[in-house]
Amino acid sequence: MSVIQTIRDRGTWIVFVIIALALIAFILQDGAQRGGTAFSNTSVITKVNGTAIQRGEFEEKLKMQEQMYAGQGATREQLIGNVWNQEVESVVLNQEFDKLGIVVSTKELNDVLFSDNSPLRQEFTDPSTGVFRVDDAKRAFAQIKKSKNAEQIKMINAGYIEPTIQNSKRAKYQNLLVQSVYVPKWILDKQDADNNAIASVSYVYYPYVSIDDSLAKVSDGDIDTYVKKHANEFEKADETRSLTFVSFNAGPSGTDSANTLSLINSLEKDFAATPDAQAYIGKVGSEIPYYNSYFSAAKMQMSLKDSIVRLPVGGMFGPYLDANNYVYAKMIGIKQWPDSVKVRHILVGTSDPKSGQQIRLDTVAKKLIDSIETAVQSGADFNVLVAKYSDDAGSKDKGGIYDYFPQGQMVGAFNDFAFDKPVGTKGVVKTDFGYHYIEVLGQKNPGAAYKVAYLAKPIVASNETIGTVSAAASQFAVSSKNSKEFTENAAKQNLQVLSAAEIKENDFSINSIGSSRTLVRWVFEKNIGAVSEPTEVGDRYIVGMISAINKAGLMNATEARPLVEGIVRNEKKAKQIIDTKVKGTTLEDISKSTGSPVLRADSLSFAGGFVSGIGSEPKMVGAAFNKALQGKVSEPIAGVTGVFAVKGEMIGAKPGNSLPEAIKQGMLQTRKMSIYRSIEALRKAADVKDFRSTFY
């Protein structure tokens, strides 16, 4: 026995060592895959001109943004990009501020915080008058300075102080640039002359559309040549990749829909018979939660409501389809309710439902609200009691009044008291916020209101459906090891092959596929031609193949073709027209050789660059103002839409149209507006090393 026990004891340690080694190996492997080791400093998320943005600080600001925009439906993935851009811009600007010695003094900070443009206006504005309560804001900040709550101070700094300082520095920086703008007199005179210059010409025009596109094919080499010639226009900061993919629908099948219908039908009798619909729905579950109050037909937003409101009390309607649910509706009650009411109230708070923070004990709150009720009944001034005791900031400054509001806007018990009790009724109501002493002041437009219970069951894909689709997607991926097999298998299975381009390393979603950070990471971990395992995106399984890797720098022909193919084709057509169509030295000769008539353009505007009936043709208009071409025929001009031969006839100016001051102000404004793009220029010029994909 002792030998067996020894083996057991040692075996326990052997197993422990194996597990420990496996964990260490896993950690090291994970660190290596993410571009670091378990012992290296991997906390830097980005470097901007050598300045590091630490992940911890980034996460704190990201969490603040999540809290700020939680009610607007913004996702963490969307906010990561926004916060990153803000942080990079902040570093770039702070580096400029330091170079220029731009600072914000304590006095300047206070002047902004407590001015009419204060970032504190929303929190410290009197809702009844709209006046910013400066003294209240100053007192609040004075108390915060004395506070020992480090977390609170940190939040105030991050939410108000730091943004105010940053915005003030930015305003100073932009003002420096704005004040540097001026317009020299010679530029003003030139612009004035250009605005008033007019010319008349005769010309022959041969449009590019006269030549079939098949006679001017554009090769990848032609695209590359054009891109290199106009390199500044086609420079890419980031590498992008392209994905070819097929999708397998894992949504509910017809069988799944039939099973859901069968399930809800099996519950119909019990739902109809139950005297307590709320308890029954709580027991069996429903996608539409039970609302224990009344709504007018106008406020009901569910489908087929016209059929539902015709039900008698206890009546049933269904099953019917609503979104992706099968639903039974049961009429619980019908009342005559107003469509809006006016009340005043005093809230003695017990807790804040949003934060969960306790305000006072329930027993203390109940005693206080009972005392308030007794005081009102004894003739105490309601307004005085509101000002002294109410914890509802939304109505306290208005005598506790909530002017006419619709059904369903307030919490349940408050709502029901206001709509169910006659005008003049006073009483105490308990809600999640605490105890309310309410008086009903007015009611409008009485009509039928309905309490309806909904038993809703979602149509969802069964495990069998998901398993079948998942197996099919896996089989496709296994049998598609290269581009040829991928294409052949898709054709055999009659699957549509789709494409997604311009995928960037830090993207969280892919166009035409959806949100899938997992798939984006895979795209940048593998090489061209690699085929992915099935990736679940929504109710689909995606199998993708990397079809292109487009490095940062100049666009390649595939990327640039959609942008420049038409331009390059027109260049080729222009050469063909000039070489084969344009013959002779007079407009009449050229007209004869091209088969195009001699046309005339009067009062061409130098500033406009447009030719009536043709469009923007700056080269042709420029030739019209060339003094050397007066009375002479130009060489063929390859324009935007066709080839021109131009004969200048007159260059002049419009009389009495000079407004130098207006021109000056317009030019100043244009230059000042361009200054606001200076931040973008600084950003582009910065050396930004982005490590986000290591962490997200």
Side-chain angles (χ1 to χ4, degrees):
M1 286 292 291
S2 62
V3 174
I4 294 173
Q5 187 61 45
T6 301
I7 292 171
R8 285 177 176 170
D9 292 341
R10 290 181 178 177
T12 301
W13 281 103
I14 291 169
V15 171
F16 175 79
V17 170
I18 290 171
I19 292 171
L21 289 171
L23 284 171
I24 292 170
F26 175 77
I27 293 168
L28 289 172
Q29 180 186 22
D30 186 62
Q33 287 175 346
R34 293 177 176 266
T37 71
F39 310 103
S40 65
N41 180 9
T42 57
S43 64
V44 175
I45 198 168
T46 299
K47 281 190 176 180
V48 184
N49 294 329
T51 300
I53 298 174
Q54 300 292 335
R55 188 187 181 191
E57 296 174 2
F58 183 85
E59 277 290 337
E60 287 183 5
K61 291 178 180 177
L62 179 59
K63 287 176 183 175
M64 284 189 62
Q65 293 274 340
E66 286 182 275
Q67 292 170 2
M68 287 173 59
Y69 296 105
Q72 300 179 24
T75 65
R76 176 179 169 85
E77 289 77 14
Q78 291 171 329
L79 292 174
I80 284 172
N82 291 341
V83 175
W84 185 81
N85 284 324
Q86 290 170 11
E87 290 303 290
V88 171
E89 182 178 295
S90 177
V91 172
V92 169
L93 283 174
N94 282 328
Q95 290 171 345
E96 290 299 304
F97 299 157
D98 290 343
K99 290 177 189 175
L100 296 169
I102 295 175
V103 296
V104 175
S105 67
T106 302
K107 182 180 182 305
E108 288 176 312
L109 176 61
N110 285 333
D111 287 345
V112 175
L113 285 175
F114 306 117
S115 70
D116 289 339
N117 297 320
S118 171
L120 307 169
R121 282 193 67 89
Q122 183 175 348
E123 289 77 5
F124 293 96
T125 292
D126 187 325
S128 59
T129 64
V131 175
F132 175 40
R133 300 190 301 248
V134 178
D135 291 338
D136 289 354
K138 288 181 177 179
R139 279 193 293 272
F141 264 70
Q143 290 175 358
I144 291 168
K145 286 180 181 179
K146 298 175 184 177
S147 171
K148 294 181 180 180
N149 187 331
E151 189 61 31
Q152 185 185 47
I153 293 172
K154 187 176 181 180
M155 288 180 64
I156 294 297
N157 280 330
Y160 297 101
I161 305 300
E162 291 174 8
T164 300
I165 291 172
Q166 189 73 2
N167 290 337
S168 297
K169 286 182 177 180
R170 182 195 291 252
K172 287 186 176 186
Y173 176 73
Q174 290 180 334
N175 192 48
L176 279 175
L177 298 178
V178 167
Q179 295 303 318
S180 71
V181 172
Y182 75 104
V183 179
K185 186 176 184 306
W186 70 267
I187 290 182
L188 182 61
D189 293 342
K190 180 69 168 60
Q191 186 66 55
D192 187 23
D194 289 346
N195 288 347
N196 293 318
I198 57 172
S200 298
V201 294
S202 295
Y203 66 96
V204 174
Y205 168 58
Y206 195 93
Y208 297 138
V209 293
S210 300
I211 297 178
D212 193 270
D213 286 353
S214 63
L215 299 176
K217 293 181 178 179
V218 179
S219 68
D220 285 352
D222 295 328
I223 299 288
D224 287 335
T225 300
Y226 184 91
V227 167
K228 289 175 183 176
K229 188 176 178 181
H230 304 82
N232 290 340
E233 299 175 32
F234 300 98
E235 191 77 30
K236 288 196 323 170
D238 301 308
E239 177 182 311
T240 61
R241 298 195 171 195
S242 299
L243 190 69
T244 298
F245 68 94
V246 294
S247 66
F248 295 80
N249 183 13
S253 65
T255 301
D256 297 329
S257 178
N259 289 339
T260 303
L261 180 59
S262 176
L263 170 63
I264 199 168
N265 281 333
S266 71
L267 301 173
E268 177 192 7
K269 288 184 180 179
D270 289 342
F271 185 44
T274 182
D276 189 344
Q278 183 174 9
Y280 182 79
I281 285 174
K283 181 177 71 173
V284 301
S286 174
E287 286 297 294
I288 302 176
Y290 184 79
Y291 180 68
N292 192 23
S293 191
Y294 292 78
F295 266 120
S296 67
K299 296 294 181 183
M300 296 169 70
Q301 297 180 352
M302 59 288 301
S303 60
L304 300 173
K305 69 177 182 181
D306 291 340
S307 298
I308 294 169
V309 297
R310 287 198 291 267
L311 291 170
V313 173
M316 297 271 288
F317 178 77
Y320 63 93
L321 272 172
D322 184 0
N324 202 42
N325 302 308
Y326 277 116
V327 185
Y328 271 109
K330 181 178 181 179
M331 183 63 70
I332 304 301
I334 303 174
K335 286 187 175 183
Q336 289 294 310
W337 267 18
D339 70 357
S340 59
V341 300
K342 178 180 180 179
V343 303
R344 63 177 178 175
H345 83 129
I346 299 168
L347 168 64
V348 177
T350 56
S351 63
D352 181 352
K354 292 182 180 178
S355 66
Q357 183 178 359
Q358 187 180 55
I359 297 173
R360 59 174 59 85
L361 292 174
D362 189 278
T363 53
V364 174
K366 183 65 170 68
K367 288 180 181 178
L368 179 55
I369 202 71
D370 289 343
S371 298
I372 290 170
E373 182 178 29
T374 301
V376 172
Q377 291 171 350
S378 301
D381 189 322
F382 197 100
N383 291 329
V384 172
L385 295 173
V386 169
K388 186 174 182 180
Y389 295 112
S390 184
D391 293 319
D392 179 22
S395 66
K396 185 170 184 175
D397 293 330
K398 294 178 286 189
I401 291 175
Y402 277 110
D403 214 344
Y404 286 95
F405 57 89
Q407 298 168 16
Q409 182 171 301
M410 300 297 185
V411 290
F414 190 110
N415 181 85
D416 289 359
F417 186 94
F419 282 87
D420 207 33
K421 303 296 183 181
V423 173
T425 303
K426 303 182 183 74
V428 175
V429 172
K430 177 75 164 67
T431 73
D432 291 340
F433 292 90
Y435 290 93
H436 307 256
Y437 183 71
I438 304 173
E439 179 181 359
V440 182
L441 299 176
Q443 297 174 336
K444 291 182 179 179
N445 305 322
Y450 309 90
K451 182 188 288 189
V452 183
Y454 298 94
L455 177 61
K457 291 294 181 182
I459 304 169
V460 295
S462 63
N463 291 335
E464 291 79 7
T465 297
I466 294 171
T468 300
V469 176
S470 175
S474 296
Q475 180 58 40
F476 181 92
V478 167
S479 61
S480 303
K481 297 175 182 175
N482 54 51
S483 176
K484 183 172 180 285
E485 291 178 352
F486 188 97
T487 304
E488 288 176 351
N489 287 335
K492 287 177 186 176
Q493 298 181 38
N494 200 28
L495 295 169
Q496 186 178 9
V497 179
L498 301 171
S499 296
E502 294 295 308
I503 304 169
K504 295 182 179 179
E505 187 174 14
N506 291 299
D507 286 346
F508 280 83
S509 63
I510 300 175
N511 287 335
S512 69
I513 291 179
S515 179
S516 179
R517 181 62 186 155
T518 300
L519 190 53
V520 172
R521 290 185 72 110
W522 176 86
V523 167
F524 278 85
E525 288 169 357
K526 303 299 180 181
N527 293 319
I528 194 165
V531 177
S532 74
E533 294 292 320
T535 302
E536 189 175 357
V537 183
D539 61 356
R540 297 186 297 166
Y541 283 95
I542 302 295
V543 179
M545 180 182 67
I546 301 172
S547 54
I549 297 176
N550 309 308
K551 297 293 185 182
L554 279 182
M555 289 185 184
N556 60 39
T558 303
E559 295 176 279
R561 182 174 287 274
L563 304 174
V564 305
E565 184 174 15
I567 298 171
V568 176
R569 179 176 286 115
N570 284 346
E571 287 182 350
K572 285 177 168 283
K573 288 183 178 182
K575 188 173 187 310
Q576 290 181 30
I577 293 168
I578 292 169
D579 290 346
T580 64
K581 299 290 184 181
V582 181
K583 307 293 181 185
T585 57
T586 67
L587 290 183
E588 289 71 23
D589 291 340
I590 296 171
S591 172
K592 185 176 180 181
S593 66
T594 59
S596 299
V598 176
L599 302 171
R600 183 176 174 81
D602 291 317
S603 300
L604 288 173
S605 169
F606 183 82
F610 284 86
V611 179
S612 178
I614 296 176
S616 178
E617 288 291 350
K619 287 184 180 179
M620 185 274 202
V621 174
F625 286 88
N626 186 345
K627 294 180 180 179
L629 292 178
Q630 292 301 296
K632 298 179 182 178
V633 177
S634 70
E635 294 293 322
I637 299 168
V640 176
T641 62
V643 173
F644 295 85
V646 176
K647 180 182 178 182
E649 296 186 355
M650 183 277 292
I651 299 174
K654 292 179 285 187
N657 198 32
S658 179
L659 297 170
E661 186 56 33
I663 295 170
K664 180 180 179 180
Q665 292 305 318
M667 294 179 75
L668 282 171
Q669 188 63 28
T670 299
R671 283 160 171 74
K672 287 178 181 179
M673 291 300 294
S674 68
I675 281 171
Y676 295 101
R677 294 197 295 271
S678 61
I679 295 172
E680 182 182 346
L682 288 171
R683 169 76 177 270
K684 286 182 177 179
D687 177 19
V688 179
K689 292 181 172 60
D690 187 358
F691 309 123
R692 274 180 296 166
S693 62
T694 304
F695 303 97
Y696 301 104

